Every structure is written in C-alpha cells, then in structure tokens.
C-alpha cells in the first residue's frame, strides 16, 4: 500500500466552496420547499455578451476548416498575448512575458513549483483560500497550528488598518500573495499603498504574486488596476489575471500570467525562462476556442461588453450593501469589487452562515473560511440574476429588521 502525501494530510479541512455546497445540500434535503438563493461562491451567472460570444463561435467554427484548424499552442496565441499587453499594460511587456492560462486559479496552483518547499509564504488575512491551501499542498507550509499554518505569515487586514496590512511583518526572501481588489474584503489598494508594498518587496528581497482577477470592477480612476502601474514593480512582481469575472468566462476557462524578464532568482537565473519550462512541461495551453473568445473580448466592442457586465454585478453589489447597511450591519466593499464584507461582531462565521441559510434561504460564505481574521464576517457575492439578488435582499431585510 502507498503512503499518503504528507502535505495532503496537513490540510486542515476540505476546500471551502465544496464544504458550503455540502451544507447547502444538507439544508435543501431538510427543507425541500425552500427556494435557495446563492450569494456564496463567486460564480458568474449572466450570459456571455454577443460580440464576445461571436468570437467563441467563430473560434469553434474555424476548427472545422483546413486553414482555421489549430492544435497545441503551449504559451497561447501570439495575437492574444500582444493584445493583453496593449490593453492592460500599455505595451510594457513583450508577448514572451505573457503566458495564457486556463484561469488564474490554475496558474496560482502551478506557480509555487518555481520556488519549492523552503520559501516563506505571506498572505493577506483574510484571503482567497487557494494561496494558503496551494502552499500547503506543495509543502511550502506545514501543519495547522491552531490559528494558522506553520510557515505562513498572515498579515491581518481588519477594520483597524482599513484592510491594508502592516508590511513590517514580511520576512526576508518571501513569496507574498496580494489580491486587489481583494477577495473577500472588497478592499482596493491605493497607488500609495501599492508603492509601499513594492518597496517592502524590494527591502525584504521578496517576490509578489499579484492577483488582479477583479481589476475590471475598479471604477475609481485613481485606483491602480495592475501592480505594473507601480514604478519598479517589474523586478519584484508577477501578476495573475483572468477573463472569468470580466467576460463571464468562469466556465469557458481563460486567464493569463505576466512574468517579466526582469524577475530573477537569488542566483541571477531568469524566473521567466523557468516558468516557460514549467508551463511547457505540465500545461498544454488554454483552449483555442476560449482564446478566440478572449481576442474578441479585447476588441473595443468586447471591452464595452466587459464594462456592461461588470456594471451589472456592481449594481447588484450596491443593492446588497444598501440592504445590509439599512439593517444596521456594518460592511465594506462592493463599490470597486463584486464582494461585500459584512461584520457580525462577536459571532462565529459558520453560525451566522447557518442563521442566514436557515432564516433567509440565502447561501453566503463564512469569513473564517478565508483566514483567522475573517472570523465574525460574512462574504456576500454580487454574482446573481438581478431578480434573485432583489429577492435575497428582501429576505435579509425582513429578517434583520425584525
Ligand atoms: N483569484 C481570485 C482572487 C478569485 O477570487 C478567484 C475565484 C480566482 C482567482 C479564480 O479565477 P479563475 O480564472 O476562474 O481560475 N474565486 C471565486 C470562486 C471560487 C474558487 O474556488 O475559485 C470565489 O468565490 O472566491
């Protein structure tokens, strides 16, 4: 018999979202009449808009023609890589610094192969659970120590620091995950905060993995949409991004990672060429149909559709935020992000999750699932049809304004 990978055994619990789905099924079995609404997992709900969809359809149709057929293309369509650089990075990066992926989560899961098991990992607390669970899986983090994993530095993001952490706690030569707009708090780092973050990475010899999956939701023009808007970031940061939350590609699967040539290991070796090696070895490229859709999404009509789609979800977010505030529940986020982070002081997150499910038939995400500092919070996702979000708001209002 084989022994289990010890890193797998280190994981404290199952992945957050399947656990929520399990509790939802349990509730549905007990209450078959309940019309359950999900404001839980951040999964897009609205149809892909016509111009972008035409790109997908054309991509599929081309495969049935001799001139349009294509097979493997590990690093992604050249035209798509060039377009991403032009649209999102002012042409700052060459096509060979932009790697097309099947989604941000998938690259987050693969990136730590570059650094192995010895690297100190730093996360915002709370944060998207994949940063921590992925670190545990690869062995960069050890076992659960009561309030966090051994080998992970949790930078608390709380009301007291306006959800931007104390950077003085970053150890030397660390891998820092940073997400803005943040999942789950909805906080967006200002230019000045990101400048401090980049300075802290330089001072400590650390590398930033910047997750910009929600950049399309930023409406305040003073807030940077990419870490590369910050001078000096190209030699201390790489960035993952995605078409999931912008174009509604959660099921289509398409993302990218920017790995600048300027990034180097301690011995001077190129991180870019290692990433190319890793990607070519264990990834065979994103679907060519999805990439055709991605190209359409980055044409002017597609960019207008991205704006319209993210506006729709932001309007949902405003409805949820107003409902909670009227009910006297303090919350942040939802203005430049699709998540609202609601505070239930002194309460256990899973208990509040159960209360909202029980009394409103609304599924949410318990804050503690995102890290120790998420305790006593609930994340509301704005991904939903308008009518269902309105109904969820009615139920929340009538329960909390009793
Ligand atoms: N990065 C962040 C910060 C995310 O919140 C998510 C999705 C992703 C990346 C995934 O992007 P893809 O390009 O689609 O791979 N977070 C959702 C979905 C849950 C999950 O497990 O990914 C959420 O509800 O937090």
């Amino acid at each position: 018999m084989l022994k289990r990978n010890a890193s797998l055994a280190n994981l404290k619990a199952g992945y957050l979202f399947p656990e929520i789905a399990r509790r939802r099924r349990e509730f549905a079995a007990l209450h078959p009449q309940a019309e359950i609404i999900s404001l839980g997992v951040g999964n897009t709900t609205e149809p892909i808009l016509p111009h972008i969809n035409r790109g997908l359809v054309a991509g599929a149709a081309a495969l049935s023609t001799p001139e349009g057929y294509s097979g493997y293309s590990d690093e992604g369509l050249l035209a798509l890589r060039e377009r991403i650089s032009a649209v999102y990075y002012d042409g700052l990066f060459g096509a060979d610094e932009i790697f097309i992926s099947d989604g941000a989560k998938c690259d987050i899961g693969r990136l730590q192969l570059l650094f192995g098991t010895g690297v100190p990992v730093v996360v915002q607390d709370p944060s998207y659970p994949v940063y921590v669970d992925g670190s545990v899986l690869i062995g960069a983090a050890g076992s659960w120590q009561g309030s966090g994993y051994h080998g992970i530095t949790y930078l608390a993001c709380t009301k007291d620091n306006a959800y931007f952490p104390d950077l003085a706690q970053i150890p030397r030569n660390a891998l820092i995950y940073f997400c803005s707009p943040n999942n789950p708090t909805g906080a967006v780092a200002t230019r000045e905060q990101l400048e401090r973050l980049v300075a802290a990475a330089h001072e400590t010899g650390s590398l930033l993995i910047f997750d910009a999956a929600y950049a399309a939701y930023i409406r305040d023009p003073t807030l940077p949409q990419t870490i590369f808007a910050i001078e000096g970031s190209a030699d201390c940061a790489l960035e993952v991004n995605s078409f999931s939350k912008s174009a509604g590609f959660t099921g289509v699967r398409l993302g990218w990672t920017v790995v600048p040539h300027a990034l180097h290991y301690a011995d001077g070796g190129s991180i870019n060429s290692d990433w190319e090696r890793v990607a070519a070895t264990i990834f065979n490229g994103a679907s060519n149909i999805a990439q055709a859709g991605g190209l359409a999404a980055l044409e002017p009509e597609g960019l207008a559709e991205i704006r319209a789609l993210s506006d729709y979800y932001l309007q949902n977010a405003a409805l949820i935020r107003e409902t909670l505030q009227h009910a006297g529940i303090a919350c942040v986020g939802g203005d430049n992000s699709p998540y609202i982070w609601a505070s239930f002081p002194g309460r256990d997150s899973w208990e509040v999750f159960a209360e909202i499910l029980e009394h409103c038939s609304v599924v949410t995400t318990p804050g503690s699932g995102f890290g120790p500092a998420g305790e006593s919070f609930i994340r509301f996702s704005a991904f939903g049809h308008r009518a269902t979000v309105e109904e969820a708001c009615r139920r929340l209002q009538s329960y909390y304004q009793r």
Side-chain angles (χ1 to χ4, degrees), residues 318-331 397 400-401:
L319 287 175
I320 297 168
R321 199 182 48 224
E322 280 157 25
T323 302
L324 294 172
Q325 283 170 345
H326 273 129
I329 298 167
C331 54
Q397 189 168 355
Y400 282 104
Q401 286 191 336

Side-chain angles (χ1 to χ4, degrees), residues 15 17 42 103-105 128 183 211 214 242 244-245 253 379:
Y15 185 57
F17 294 103
K105 184 185 203 173
Y128 181 43
N183 174 13
D211 188 338
Y214 299 98
S242 167
S244 284
K245 312 296 166 85
R253 309 302 308 145
R379 188 193 77 173

Side-chain angles (χ1 to χ4, degrees), residues 250-295:
T250 41
V252 175
R253 309 302 308 145
L254 189 67
W256 71 90
T257 296
V258 185
V259 186
H261 284 309
L263 288 181
H264 294 100
Y265 297 108
D267 68 0
S270 159
I271 294 184
N272 175 287
S273 39
D274 264 5
W275 182 240
E276 193 178 344
R277 175 73 169 86
V278 169
T281 308
I282 59 162
F283 179 54
N284 253 347
S287 149
N288 40 18
I289 301 172
Q291 292 187 73
L295 261 178

Side-chain angles (χ1 to χ4, degrees), residues 123-143:
V123 293
Q124 289 158 289
D125 176 21
S127 67
Y128 181 43
V130 179
Y131 313 143
V132 168
D133 287 7
S135 302
V136 174
L137 276 177
I138 198 168
S143 56

